[in-house]
Amino acid sequence: MRQKKKSELLTEVELEFMTQLWALGEGTVRDVLDQLPEGRNLAYTSAATILKILETKEFVTSKKEGKRHIFTPTLAKDAYQTRSLKDLSAKLFDDTPASLVARLVNDDSLTEEALGQIRALVDRRLKNDTG
Amino acid sequence: MRQKKKSELLTEVELEFMTQLWALGEGTVRDVLDQLPEGRNLAYTSAATILKILETKEFVTSKKEGKRHIFTPTLAKDAYQTRSLKDLSAKLFDDTPASLVARLVNDDSLTEEALGQIRALVDRRLKNDTG
DNA sequence: TTTGAAAAACGAAACTCTTAGTATCTACTC
DNA sequence: GAGTAGATACTAAGAGTTTCGTTTTTCAAA
């Protein structure tokens, strides 16, 4: 009786919407729709459908206020970032975060500045652990 | 007359197959099928279809040898790793690789050892650039 | 040269994802 | 309380993904 393995990852459009909600904190269908970039012409009902799906998948909850729903993420962006990285690491980097970083820092398009920032992050984390 | 932006990313099953091909270097439908993990019971024709799709999408080429096709990746794993990281960075990390690494190194499940490896990688890269 | 096993080609069913039209509901106004 | 504007609910079409059955081809062995 194995639970159908539900994907814990967002689809393309779901991520697009969650990104807006993370930025807004919370919002109605209209709020999210208005937040979408220029040229992204999506029908109101489409946006409503996406948010409904996100609620079904429990990425957001909604409370009713007057006649409209206000949607709030149940999963923080940080947490989803971590989840996505774990997934990518597992699927493409043999579950070895170091090899993921290796690929990242060997990318020529990475700036010197970004590289410096990365080292600072790692150093800080190492200091905190041992301190 | 803009070219319809075709996704340059592999689907779930396509990635599964490319992973086998990357490990094998090259192989037939049978080779890849045999390489799949225990319990992954996939019909021969399914595997053939996936490889055909990968060929259509130009992730692999094939040459005929006797009556069978031998498939070879056209895209190295390294290159696809870079591509995937760029995509994730753009979609979820505001195109800022440092923030991606930040999320990675702040993950509690990351071992001290992995952290050390990561710093070594970054240091080596910084040395090479300035040396 | 027939034939048989393995491979490839073809076609399509089942499913998910994305989008949106139509119908229904809800709260406010007259 | 009837009308209306704006919201939600319902339904579904179209595209892409995953899977595999059936048909056709191909090489080699009898």
Side-chain angles (χ1 to χ4, degrees), chain B residues 39-78:
Chain B
R40 177 71 159 113
N41 293 98
L42 199 59
Y44 178 93
T45 52
S46 303
T49 301
I50 304 291
L51 285 168
K52 169 69 63 63
I53 289 170
L54 283 169
E55 187 168 21
T56 301
K57 294 187 179 177
E58 300 186 353
F59 285 106
V60 306
T61 47
S62 73
K63 61 184 181 232
K64 208 163 181 188
E65 187 163 289
K67 70 174 162 182
R68 58 214 186 315
H69 286 167
I70 298 184
F71 296 91
T72 314
T74 55
L75 184 68
K77 185 172 186 177
D78 288 4

mmCIF file of all heavy atoms in Angstrom, chain B residues 39-78:
data_model
loop_
_atom_site.group_PDB
_atom_site.id
_atom_site.type_symbol
_atom_site.label_atom_id
_atom_site.label_comp_id
_atom_site.label_asym_id
_atom_site.label_seq_id
_atom_site.Cartn_x
_atom_site.Cartn_y
_atom_site.Cartn_z
ATOM 1 N N GLY B 39 14.919 -3.646 -10.102
ATOM 2 C CA GLY B 39 13.585 -3.179 -9.772
ATOM 3 C C GLY B 39 13.048 -2.149 -10.736
ATOM 4 O O GLY B 39 11.880 -1.790 -10.688
ATOM 5 N N ARG B 40 13.910 -1.662 -11.577
ATOM 6 C CA ARG B 40 13.450 -0.744 -12.614
ATOM 7 C C ARG B 40 13.065 -1.579 -13.816
ATOM 8 O O ARG B 40 13.885 -1.834 -14.702
ATOM 9 C CB ARG B 40 14.569 0.240 -12.964
ATOM 10 C CG ARG B 40 14.222 1.197 -14.085
ATOM 11 C CD ARG B 40 13.191 2.196 -13.617
ATOM 12 N NE ARG B 40 13.198 3.388 -14.467
ATOM 13 C CZ ARG B 40 12.180 3.714 -15.261
ATOM 14 N NH1 ARG B 40 11.123 2.950 -15.309
ATOM 15 N NH2 ARG B 40 12.260 4.813 -15.978
ATOM 16 N N ASN B 41 11.841 -2.023 -13.856
ATOM 17 C CA ASN B 41 11.423 -2.925 -14.921
ATOM 18 C C ASN B 41 10.790 -2.130 -16.044
ATOM 19 O O ASN B 41 9.651 -1.701 -15.965
ATOM 20 C CB ASN B 41 10.438 -3.957 -14.367
ATOM 21 C CG ASN B 41 11.117 -4.891 -13.399
ATOM 22 O OD1 ASN B 41 11.035 -4.696 -12.195
ATOM 23 N ND2 ASN B 41 11.825 -5.867 -13.910
ATOM 24 N N LEU B 42 11.578 -1.982 -17.058
ATOM 25 C CA LEU B 42 11.149 -1.179 -18.186
ATOM 26 C C LEU B 42 11.211 -2.051 -19.433
ATOM 27 O O LEU B 42 12.167 -2.796 -19.635
ATOM 28 C CB LEU B 42 12.105 0.022 -18.326
ATOM 29 C CG LEU B 42 11.622 1.227 -19.123
ATOM 30 C CD1 LEU B 42 10.353 1.804 -18.526
ATOM 31 C CD2 LEU B 42 12.714 2.277 -19.157
ATOM 32 N N ALA B 43 10.171 -1.971 -20.255
ATOM 33 C CA ALA B 43 10.160 -2.776 -21.474
ATOM 34 C C ALA B 43 11.253 -2.306 -22.431
ATOM 35 O O ALA B 43 11.609 -1.119 -22.442
ATOM 36 C CB ALA B 43 8.789 -2.680 -22.142
ATOM 37 N N TYR B 44 11.756 -3.250 -23.195
ATOM 38 C CA TYR B 44 12.793 -2.930 -24.166
ATOM 39 C C TYR B 44 12.353 -1.788 -25.079
ATOM 40 O O TYR B 44 13.115 -0.847 -25.351
ATOM 41 C CB TYR B 44 13.119 -4.162 -25.008
ATOM 42 C CG TYR B 44 14.156 -3.903 -26.071
ATOM 43 C CD1 TYR B 44 15.501 -4.133 -25.829
ATOM 44 C CD2 TYR B 44 13.778 -3.407 -27.322
ATOM 45 C CE1 TYR B 44 16.453 -3.869 -26.797
ATOM 46 C CE2 TYR B 44 14.725 -3.143 -28.296
ATOM 47 C CZ TYR B 44 16.053 -3.375 -28.027
ATOM 48 O OH TYR B 44 16.983 -3.107 -28.991
ATOM 49 N N THR B 45 11.123 -1.868 -25.521
ATOM 50 C CA THR B 45 10.653 -0.841 -26.463
ATOM 51 C C THR B 45 10.576 0.531 -25.804
ATOM 52 O O THR B 45 10.757 1.546 -26.474
ATOM 53 C CB THR B 45 9.269 -1.206 -27.034
ATOM 54 O OG1 THR B 45 8.373 -1.487 -25.956
ATOM 55 C CG2 THR B 45 9.356 -2.402 -27.950
ATOM 56 N N SER B 46 10.334 0.544 -24.502
ATOM 57 C CA SER B 46 10.314 1.825 -23.802
ATOM 58 C C SER B 46 11.698 2.454 -23.826
ATOM 59 O O SER B 46 11.857 3.653 -24.103
ATOM 60 C CB SER B 46 9.864 1.633 -22.359
ATOM 61 O OG SER B 46 8.606 1.014 -22.308
ATOM 62 N N ALA B 47 12.682 1.631 -23.527
ATOM 63 C CA ALA B 47 14.053 2.130 -23.534
ATOM 64 C C ALA B 47 14.427 2.638 -24.925
ATOM 65 O O ALA B 47 15.066 3.691 -25.072
ATOM 66 C CB ALA B 47 15.016 1.027 -23.086
ATOM 67 N N ALA B 48 14.023 1.885 -25.932
ATOM 68 C CA ALA B 48 14.331 2.289 -27.301
ATOM 69 C C ALA B 48 13.689 3.641 -27.622
ATOM 70 O O ALA B 48 14.301 4.500 -28.267
ATOM 71 C CB ALA B 48 13.846 1.228 -28.284
ATOM 72 N N THR B 49 12.473 3.821 -27.146
ATOM 73 C CA THR B 49 11.766 5.075 -27.391
ATOM 74 C C THR B 49 12.501 6.252 -26.741
ATOM 75 O O THR B 49 12.683 7.309 -27.360
ATOM 76 C CB THR B 49 10.333 5.011 -26.854
ATOM 77 O OG1 THR B 49 9.637 3.943 -27.499
ATOM 78 C CG2 THR B 49 9.593 6.310 -27.110
ATOM 79 N N ILE B 50 12.910 6.059 -25.499
ATOM 80 C CA ILE B 50 13.614 7.126 -24.788
ATOM 81 C C ILE B 50 14.881 7.520 -25.554
ATOM 82 O O ILE B 50 15.166 8.717 -25.752
ATOM 83 C CB ILE B 50 14.019 6.677 -23.371
ATOM 84 C CG1 ILE B 50 12.809 6.210 -22.577
ATOM 85 C CG2 ILE B 50 14.742 7.808 -22.645
ATOM 86 C CD1 ILE B 50 11.854 7.269 -22.193
ATOM 87 N N LEU B 51 15.623 6.512 -26.006
ATOM 88 C CA LEU B 51 16.866 6.833 -26.712
ATOM 89 C C LEU B 51 16.577 7.530 -28.043
ATOM 90 O O LEU B 51 17.317 8.437 -28.444
ATOM 91 C CB LEU B 51 17.694 5.555 -26.912
ATOM 92 C CG LEU B 51 18.375 5.074 -25.616
ATOM 93 C CD1 LEU B 51 18.928 3.670 -25.763
ATOM 94 C CD2 LEU B 51 19.490 6.038 -25.204
ATOM 95 N N LYS B 52 15.499 7.118 -28.678
ATOM 96 C CA LYS B 52 15.105 7.783 -29.916
ATOM 97 C C LYS B 52 14.787 9.263 -29.648
ATOM 98 O O LYS B 52 15.165 10.160 -30.398
ATOM 99 C CB LYS B 52 13.903 7.066 -30.533
ATOM 100 C CG LYS B 52 13.225 7.779 -31.668
ATOM 101 C CD LYS B 52 14.090 7.837 -32.921
ATOM 102 C CE LYS B 52 14.385 6.458 -33.481
ATOM 103 N NZ LYS B 52 13.202 5.711 -33.938
ATOM 104 N N ILE B 53 14.084 9.490 -28.566
ATOM 105 C CA ILE B 53 13.742 10.867 -28.196
ATOM 106 C C ILE B 53 15.006 11.671 -27.911
ATOM 107 O O ILE B 53 15.144 12.817 -28.371
ATOM 108 C CB ILE B 53 12.805 10.870 -26.961
ATOM 109 C CG1 ILE B 53 11.407 10.362 -27.363
ATOM 110 C CG2 ILE B 53 12.715 12.256 -26.349
ATOM 111 C CD1 ILE B 53 10.482 10.105 -26.192
ATOM 112 N N LEU B 54 15.932 11.056 -27.191
ATOM 113 C CA LEU B 54 17.188 11.747 -26.887
ATOM 114 C C LEU B 54 17.944 12.083 -28.169
ATOM 115 O O LEU B 54 18.607 13.116 -28.257
ATOM 116 C CB LEU B 54 18.059 10.878 -25.968
ATOM 117 C CG LEU B 54 17.625 10.856 -24.501
ATOM 118 C CD1 LEU B 54 18.361 9.766 -23.726
ATOM 119 C CD2 LEU B 54 17.878 12.219 -23.857
ATOM 120 N N GLU B 55 17.814 11.205 -29.150
ATOM 121 C CA GLU B 55 18.471 11.470 -30.429
ATOM 122 C C GLU B 55 17.781 12.622 -31.160
ATOM 123 O O GLU B 55 18.438 13.506 -31.716
ATOM 124 C CB GLU B 55 18.474 10.207 -31.289
ATOM 125 C CG GLU B 55 19.298 10.370 -32.558
ATOM 126 C CD GLU B 55 19.532 9.037 -33.260
ATOM 127 O OE1 GLU B 55 18.763 8.083 -33.011
ATOM 128 O OE2 GLU B 55 20.486 8.954 -34.057
ATOM 129 N N THR B 56 16.468 12.606 -31.139
ATOM 130 C CA THR B 56 15.700 13.690 -31.756
ATOM 131 C C THR B 56 16.064 15.038 -31.133
ATOM 132 O O THR B 56 16.218 16.036 -31.830
ATOM 133 C CB THR B 56 14.192 13.445 -31.581
ATOM 134 O OG1 THR B 56 13.858 12.197 -32.177
ATOM 135 C CG2 THR B 56 13.376 14.553 -32.223
ATOM 136 N N LYS B 57 16.212 15.038 -29.815
ATOM 137 C CA LYS B 57 16.556 16.262 -29.109
ATOM 138 C C LYS B 57 18.052 16.569 -29.161
ATOM 139 O O LYS B 57 18.518 17.543 -28.566
ATOM 140 C CB LYS B 57 16.104 16.158 -27.650
ATOM 141 C CG LYS B 57 14.587 16.097 -27.474
ATOM 142 C CD LYS B 57 14.212 16.165 -25.998
ATOM 143 C CE LYS B 57 12.704 16.131 -25.809
ATOM 144 N NZ LYS B 57 12.330 16.118 -24.364
ATOM 145 N N GLU B 58 18.766 15.672 -29.846
ATOM 146 C CA GLU B 58 20.205 15.868 -30.082
ATOM 147 C C GLU B 58 21.057 15.840 -28.827
ATOM 148 O O GLU B 58 22.105 16.488 -28.769
ATOM 149 C CB GLU B 58 20.440 17.165 -30.872
ATOM 150 C CG GLU B 58 19.746 17.122 -32.228
ATOM 151 C CD GLU B 58 20.073 18.328 -33.113
ATOM 152 O OE1 GLU B 58 20.736 19.255 -32.632
ATOM 153 O OE2 GLU B 58 19.659 18.313 -34.288
ATOM 154 N N PHE B 59 20.628 15.063 -27.847
ATOM 155 C CA PHE B 59 21.484 14.828 -26.688
ATOM 156 C C PHE B 59 22.403 13.632 -26.927
ATOM 157 O O PHE B 59 23.397 13.463 -26.254
ATOM 158 C CB PHE B 59 20.653 14.585 -25.423
ATOM 159 C CG PHE B 59 20.040 15.828 -24.856
ATOM 160 C CD1 PHE B 59 18.683 16.074 -24.992
ATOM 161 C CD2 PHE B 59 20.825 16.768 -24.199
ATOM 162 C CE1 PHE B 59 18.107 17.228 -24.465
ATOM 163 C CE2 PHE B 59 20.264 17.916 -23.675
ATOM 164 C CZ PHE B 59 18.912 18.156 -23.815
ATOM 165 N N VAL B 60 22.026 12.802 -27.911
ATOM 166 C CA VAL B 60 22.869 11.669 -28.297
ATOM 167 C C VAL B 60 22.878 11.560 -29.824
ATOM 168 O O VAL B 60 21.997 12.102 -30.505
ATOM 169 C CB VAL B 60 22.356 10.322 -27.708
ATOM 170 C CG1 VAL B 60 22.178 10.411 -26.209
ATOM 171 C CG2 VAL B 60 21.066 9.894 -28.381
ATOM 172 N N THR B 61 23.890 10.876 -30.329
ATOM 173 C CA THR B 61 23.875 10.452 -31.732
ATOM 174 C C THR B 61 23.945 8.936 -31.748
ATOM 175 O O THR B 61 24.291 8.310 -30.752
ATOM 176 C CB THR B 61 25.088 10.993 -32.512
ATOM 177 O OG1 THR B 61 26.267 10.767 -31.746
ATOM 178 C CG2 THR B 61 24.935 12.456 -32.824
ATOM 179 N N SER B 62 23.637 8.370 -32.905
ATOM 180 C CA SER B 62 23.755 6.926 -32.998
ATOM 181 C C SER B 62 24.450 6.546 -34.292
ATOM 182 O O SER B 62 24.323 7.228 -35.299
ATOM 183 C CB SER B 62 22.374 6.273 -32.936
ATOM 184 O OG SER B 62 21.669 6.477 -34.143
ATOM 185 N N LYS B 63 25.178 5.472 -34.205
ATOM 186 C CA LYS B 63 25.734 4.871 -35.424
ATOM 187 C C LYS B 63 25.243 3.443 -35.476
ATOM 188 O O LYS B 63 25.005 2.814 -34.450
ATOM 189 C CB LYS B 63 27.263 4.929 -35.382
ATOM 190 C CG LYS B 63 27.860 4.175 -34.213
ATOM 191 C CD LYS B 63 29.383 4.332 -34.150
ATOM 192 C CE LYS B 63 29.957 3.543 -32.976
ATOM 193 N NZ LYS B 63 30.822 4.357 -32.107
ATOM 194 N N LYS B 64 25.077 2.951 -36.688
ATOM 195 C CA LYS B 64 24.568 1.598 -36.840
ATOM 196 C C LYS B 64 25.738 0.636 -36.910
ATOM 197 O O LYS B 64 26.725 0.879 -37.610
ATOM 198 C CB LYS B 64 23.722 1.497 -38.111
ATOM 199 C CG LYS B 64 22.651 0.437 -38.026
ATOM 200 C CD LYS B 64 21.589 0.636 -39.085
ATOM 201 C CE LYS B 64 20.510 -0.436 -38.959
ATOM 202 N NZ LYS B 64 19.566 -0.382 -40.087
ATOM 203 N N GLU B 65 25.628 -0.434 -36.157
ATOM 204 C CA GLU B 65 26.678 -1.448 -36.184
ATOM 205 C C GLU B 65 25.987 -2.790 -36.240
ATOM 206 O O GLU B 65 25.358 -3.212 -35.276
ATOM 207 C CB GLU B 65 27.544 -1.321 -34.931
ATOM 208 C CG GLU B 65 28.763 -2.203 -34.933
ATOM 209 C CD GLU B 65 29.781 -1.752 -33.893
ATOM 210 O OE1 GLU B 65 30.413 -0.690 -34.099
ATOM 211 O OE2 GLU B 65 29.933 -2.449 -32.894
ATOM 212 N N GLY B 66 26.118 -3.469 -37.391
ATOM 213 C CA GLY B 66 25.306 -4.653 -37.576
ATOM 214 C C GLY B 66 23.866 -4.215 -37.606
ATOM 215 O O GLY B 66 23.524 -3.235 -38.266
ATOM 216 N N LYS B 67 23.029 -4.900 -36.843
ATOM 217 C CA LYS B 67 21.629 -4.507 -36.873
ATOM 218 C C LYS B 67 21.243 -3.585 -35.728
ATOM 219 O O LYS B 67 20.105 -3.180 -35.606
ATOM 220 C CB LYS B 67 20.732 -5.753 -36.889
ATOM 221 C CG LYS B 67 20.709 -6.542 -35.611
ATOM 222 C CD LYS B 67 19.678 -7.659 -35.717
ATOM 223 C CE LYS B 67 19.908 -8.737 -34.671
ATOM 224 N NZ LYS B 67 18.939 -9.830 -34.813
ATOM 225 N N ARG B 68 22.216 -3.273 -34.887
ATOM 226 C CA ARG B 68 21.796 -2.412 -33.771
ATOM 227 C C ARG B 68 22.452 -1.040 -33.772
ATOM 228 O O ARG B 68 23.472 -0.818 -34.412
ATOM 229 C CB ARG B 68 21.985 -3.133 -32.445
ATOM 230 C CG ARG B 68 23.349 -3.610 -32.116
ATOM 231 C CD ARG B 68 23.235 -4.945 -31.321
ATOM 232 N NE ARG B 68 24.512 -5.432 -30.829
ATOM 233 C CZ ARG B 68 25.625 -5.481 -31.554
ATOM 234 N NH1 ARG B 68 25.655 -5.007 -32.777
ATOM 235 N NH2 ARG B 68 26.733 -5.977 -31.046
ATOM 236 N N HIS B 69 21.824 -0.188 -33.058
ATOM 237 C CA HIS B 69 22.306 1.183 -32.949
ATOM 238 C C HIS B 69 23.153 1.330 -31.698
ATOM 239 O O HIS B 69 22.815 0.803 -30.647
ATOM 240 C CB HIS B 69 21.126 2.150 -32.871
ATOM 241 C CG HIS B 69 20.431 2.348 -34.171
ATOM 242 N ND1 HIS B 69 19.200 2.954 -34.274
ATOM 243 C CD2 HIS B 69 20.787 2.011 -35.427
ATOM 244 C CE1 HIS B 69 18.837 2.991 -35.547
ATOM 245 N NE2 HIS B 69 19.771 2.402 -36.260
ATOM 246 N N ILE B 70 24.224 2.082 -31.856
ATOM 247 C CA ILE B 70 25.043 2.408 -30.691
ATOM 248 C C ILE B 70 24.907 3.897 -30.433
ATOM 249 O O ILE B 70 25.154 4.720 -31.317
ATOM 250 C CB ILE B 70 26.510 2.012 -30.930
ATOM 251 C CG1 ILE B 70 26.583 0.502 -31.129
ATOM 252 C CG2 ILE B 70 27.376 2.457 -29.767
ATOM 253 C CD1 ILE B 70 27.980 -0.035 -31.288
ATOM 254 N N PHE B 71 24.500 4.214 -29.236
ATOM 255 C CA PHE B 71 24.218 5.602 -28.881
ATOM 256 C C PHE B 71 25.384 6.215 -28.096
ATOM 257 O O PHE B 71 25.974 5.558 -27.241
ATOM 258 C CB PHE B 71 22.947 5.680 -28.042
ATOM 259 C CG PHE B 71 21.716 5.227 -28.784
ATOM 260 C CD1 PHE B 71 21.316 3.904 -28.740
ATOM 261 C CD2 PHE B 71 20.987 6.131 -29.540
ATOM 262 C CE1 PHE B 71 20.186 3.487 -29.437
ATOM 263 C CE2 PHE B 71 19.852 5.723 -30.237
ATOM 264 C CZ PHE B 71 19.458 4.389 -30.188
ATOM 265 N N THR B 72 25.662 7.451 -28.419
ATOM 266 C CA THR B 72 26.744 8.175 -27.753
ATOM 267 C C THR B 72 26.246 9.557 -27.365
ATOM 268 O O THR B 72 25.585 10.217 -28.172
ATOM 269 C CB THR B 72 27.941 8.354 -28.723
ATOM 270 O OG1 THR B 72 28.199 7.108 -29.368
ATOM 271 C CG2 THR B 72 29.185 8.824 -27.986
ATOM 272 N N PRO B 73 26.577 9.996 -26.167
ATOM 273 C CA PRO B 73 26.170 11.347 -25.773
ATOM 274 C C PRO B 73 26.851 12.396 -26.652
ATOM 275 O O PRO B 73 28.020 12.246 -27.008
ATOM 276 C CB PRO B 73 26.678 11.475 -24.330
ATOM 277 C CG PRO B 73 26.889 10.081 -23.859
ATOM 278 C CD PRO B 73 27.257 9.285 -25.078
ATOM 279 N N THR B 74 26.120 13.416 -27.000
ATOM 280 C CA THR B 74 26.741 14.534 -27.701
ATOM 281 C C THR B 74 27.116 15.634 -26.713
ATOM 282 O O THR B 74 27.902 16.509 -27.026
ATOM 283 C CB THR B 74 25.780 15.145 -28.743
ATOM 284 O OG1 THR B 74 24.565 15.511 -28.081
ATOM 285 C CG2 THR B 74 25.473 14.157 -29.834
ATOM 286 N N LEU B 75 26.528 15.550 -25.545
ATOM 287 C CA LEU B 75 26.775 16.552 -24.512
ATOM 288 C C LEU B 75 27.439 15.852 -23.333
ATOM 289 O O LEU B 75 26.921 14.865 -22.822
ATOM 290 C CB LEU B 75 25.450 17.177 -24.075
ATOM 291 C CG LEU B 75 25.494 18.308 -23.058
ATOM 292 C CD1 LEU B 75 26.126 19.552 -23.673
ATOM 293 C CD2 LEU B 75 24.103 18.618 -22.532
ATOM 294 N N ALA B 76 28.602 16.356 -22.926
ATOM 295 C CA ALA B 76 29.307 15.748 -21.794
ATOM 296 C C ALA B 76 28.544 16.003 -20.496
ATOM 297 O O ALA B 76 27.818 16.986 -20.375
ATOM 298 C CB ALA B 76 30.723 16.312 -21.698
ATOM 299 N N LYS B 77 28.742 15.134 -19.567
ATOM 300 C CA LYS B 77 28.069 15.277 -18.278
ATOM 301 C C LYS B 77 28.456 16.607 -17.621
ATOM 302 O O LYS B 77 27.601 17.330 -17.108
ATOM 303 C CB LYS B 77 28.419 14.115 -17.351
ATOM 304 C CG LYS B 77 27.652 14.145 -16.035
ATOM 305 C CD LYS B 77 27.867 12.887 -15.216
ATOM 306 C CE LYS B 77 26.985 12.887 -13.975
ATOM 307 N NZ LYS B 77 27.102 11.657 -13.168
ATOM 308 N N ASP B 78 29.735 16.920 -17.676
ATOM 309 C CA ASP B 78 30.210 18.197 -17.131
ATOM 310 C C ASP B 78 29.397 19.368 -17.651
ATOM 311 O O ASP B 78 28.964 20.238 -16.904
ATOM 312 C CB ASP B 78 31.672 18.439 -17.551
ATOM 313 C CG ASP B 78 32.622 17.533 -16.808
ATOM 314 O OD1 ASP B 78 32.136 16.678 -16.035
ATOM 315 O OD2 ASP B 78 33.836 17.680 -16.997
#
